[in-house]
Amino acid sequence: MTQVRIVEVGPRDGLQNETQTVVTATKIELIERLVAAGLRTVEATSFVSPRWVPQMADHAELMAALPRHPGVTYPVLTPNLKGFEAALTHGVREVAVFAAASESFSQRNINCSISESIERFQPVFEAAQREGVRVRGYVSCVVSCPYEGPVDPQRVAEVAAQMMALGSYEVSLGDTIGTGTPASVLRMLEAVATRVPVAQLAGHYHDTYGMAAANVHASYQFGLRVFDSSVSGLGGCPYAKGASGNIATEDVVYLLHGLGATTGIDLERLVDTSVWISQQLGREPGSRVTRAMFAKRQSI
Ligand code: HMG
Ligand code: MG
């Protein structure tokens, strides 16, 4: 059976964009529920500037209080050495650095050019290697940029190759504003695959235009076996106005199980978690799968 690894990014990519305050205890309960549903990699928070992303300002408090479980990893975002060193003091064993394939997005998101960001990541990789911490690389705007429009797949391939050359174990390809379609995503993947082995690529697709499931399917057929997703489809990016959350974890699990792949995730428990976090945030679950399964349960 084909195994697919799901990287749950809801507590980070999801909650970083919440307009309401989500207290640390709720974030921790969300992560605990996700782990109980079978998620083994849960991106927990970001060690970024609290002035840039106030929703992640409780990163230290969260990592200090988060219970650890064997076989479960809690990667965190670290844009620079300052973030990395702070994360390290909280026992973090995996971090993610994030670059972009578009200059304007890089400036708006991390206040530097793409080449400056690569330079800034260098000491993070060196420190991570010394400390035995794994580093995942993100590339944002792999299809389109909110400020510049369509992005050249060759540019994405170049930045992805740079992230690998720095020492990433995997590169996650972000369709940050969710405008991609299977055709544009495949054009991008074909270019990236000439520089980075497919086994080291992950799909990170936001669902703004409702294409994320189609893009996961196309990427799976292309050979990708790692996908990022967000429970209940929470989120967006504070520096990509109007973009909605990642593909909902429930939707990607339903899709992959339907294709005969295994994820290790219990869909029923995941749906419970999606309903729970939606209640906490006072809204309907953002996943069609959750809404359908919840309605079915209530009709029995
Ligand atoms: P800067 O202003 O250029 O940084 O921001 P600086 O080095 O000049 O420092 C300015 C202030 O920030 C200083 O504080 C530093 O101490 C502090 P002050 O002296 O003014 O009080 N600072 C920090 N504080 C905490 N943790 C740190 C840190 N670094 C500096 N690590 C910086 C540069 C990168 C810090 C800033 O732009 C930033 O934090 N950006 C984060 C943006 C972000 O988190 N965006 C969302 C995540 S990316 C995403 O969602 C896309 C993704 O999902 C994939 C996709 O969908 O495409 C991954
Ligand atoms: Mg994202």
Side-chain angles (χ1 to χ4, degrees):
M1 249 197 198
T2 306
Q3 265 204 320
V4 175
R5 189 163 69 92
I6 301 292
V7 177
E8 169 63 47
V9 296
R12 193 279 304 171
D13 207 345
L15 298 183
Q16 75 180 6
N17 209 38
E18 257 315 307
T19 44
Q20 55 186 297
T21 305
V22 181
V23 297
T24 312
T26 303
K27 294 178 180 178
I28 291 176
E29 183 165 353
L30 172 63
I31 296 170
E32 287 281 271
R33 284 173 182 259
L34 289 165
V35 171
L39 270 310
R40 288 295 164 265
T41 310
V42 182
E43 207 172 65
T45 185
S46 300
F47 281 77
V48 296
S49 162
R51 276 203 282 130
W52 285 66
V53 185
Q55 297 85 344
M56 298 285 110
D58 63 345
H59 44 234
E61 194 188 338
L62 182 135
M63 290 313 287
L66 187 64
R68 305 302 206 268
H69 303 280
V72 179
T73 318
Y74 298 117
V76 300
L77 262 57
T78 57
N80 51 22
L81 199 54
K82 182 181 169 83
F84 178 81
E85 282 169 352
L88 200 61
T89 64
H90 292 283
V92 164
R93 304 310 302 154
E94 179 174 331
V95 299
V97 294
F98 43 109
S102 133
E103 286 294 348
S104 312
F105 188 81
S106 183
Q107 288 291 351
R108 303 275 184 117
N109 195 38
I110 50 175
N111 204 24
C112 64
S113 69
I114 299 169
S115 65
E116 283 165 346
S117 75
I118 301 289
E119 271 171 43
R120 196 182 278 178
F121 299 151
Q122 184 99 39
V124 176
F125 278 93
E126 285 165 9
Q129 200 177 13
R130 275 198 308 276
E131 301 290 342
V133 170
R134 295 197 337 146
V135 186
R136 190 176 202 233
Y138 273 108
V139 182
S140 286
C141 301
V142 298
V143 175
S144 193
C145 165
Y147 313 106
E148 292 180 15
V151 169
D152 179 0
Q154 294 305 330
R155 188 75 187 111
V156 182
E158 230 166 81
V159 180
Q162 284 177 305
M163 295 298 257
M164 288 307 293
L166 281 169
S168 304
Y169 76 87
E170 174 175 286
V171 175
S172 176
L173 299 163
D175 180 13
T176 317
I177 53 172
T179 55
T181 63
S184 54
V185 166
L186 284 174
R187 272 197 301 279
M188 178 276 295
L189 289 178
E190 275 158 16
V192 174
T194 63
R195 307 285 299 273
V196 180
V198 171
Q200 286 168 300
L201 297 176
H204 176 110
Y205 304 137
H206 285 260
D207 202 24
T208 319
Y209 282 74
M211 294 290 117
N215 294 337
V216 167
H217 187 213
S219 305
Y220 178 80
Q221 304 288 18
F222 189 80
L224 267 67
R225 293 293 178 263
V226 185
F227 295 100
D228 301 354
S229 60
S230 172
V231 64
S232 205
L234 295 176
C237 176
Y239 297 99
K241 252 199 169 28
S244 64
N246 294 78
I247 184 167
T249 309
E250 307 90 287
D251 296 7
V252 81
V253 167
Y254 182 81
L255 168 64
L256 291 167
H257 289 183
L259 291 168
T262 57
T263 61
I265 296 166
D266 178 337
L267 186 55
E268 295 285 348
R269 292 191 83 167
L270 185 60
V271 164
D272 293 341
T273 305
S274 176
V275 170
W276 175 83
I277 190 62
S278 304
Q279 283 166 349
Q280 298 301 308
L281 299 173
R283 67 173 71 126
E284 279 286 292
S287 154
R288 299 268 292 266
V289 168
T290 289
R291 292 202 296 269
M293 286 178 63
F294 192 63
K296 193 169 159 194
R297 278 183 199 172
Q298 293 197 313
S299 69
I300 294 170

